Coordinates of all heavy atoms in Angstrom, one line a residue:
V949 N -1.6 19.9 2.4 CA -2.4 20.6 1.5 C -3.9 20.2 1.7 O -4.8 21.1 1.7 CB -2.0 20.3 0.0 CG1 -3.0 20.9 -1.0 CG2 -0.6 20.8 -0.3
G952 N -5.2 21.8 4.9 CA -5.4 23.2 4.8 C -6.7 23.5 4.0 O -7.5 24.3 4.4
G990 N -30.5 35.6 22.1 CA -30.2 36.9 21.8 C -29.3 36.9 20.5 O -29.4 36.0 19.7
K1072 N -35.2 17.9 1.9 CA -34.6 19.2 1.6 C -35.5 20.3 1.8 O -35.2 21.4 2.2 CB -33.9 19.1 0.2 CG -32.7 18.1 0.1 CD -32.0 18.3 -1.2 CE -32.7 17.8 -2.4 NZ -31.9 17.9 -3.6
A1131 N -48.1 26.1 -5.6 CA -49.5 26.4 -6.1 C -50.0 25.3 -7.0 O -49.1 24.5 -7.6 CB -49.6 27.7 -6.8
G1195 N -36.0 42.8 26.0 CA -35.1 43.9 25.7 C -34.9 44.9 26.9 O -33.9 45.0 27.5

Side-chain angles (χ1 to χ4, degrees):
V949 172
K1072 292 192 287 182

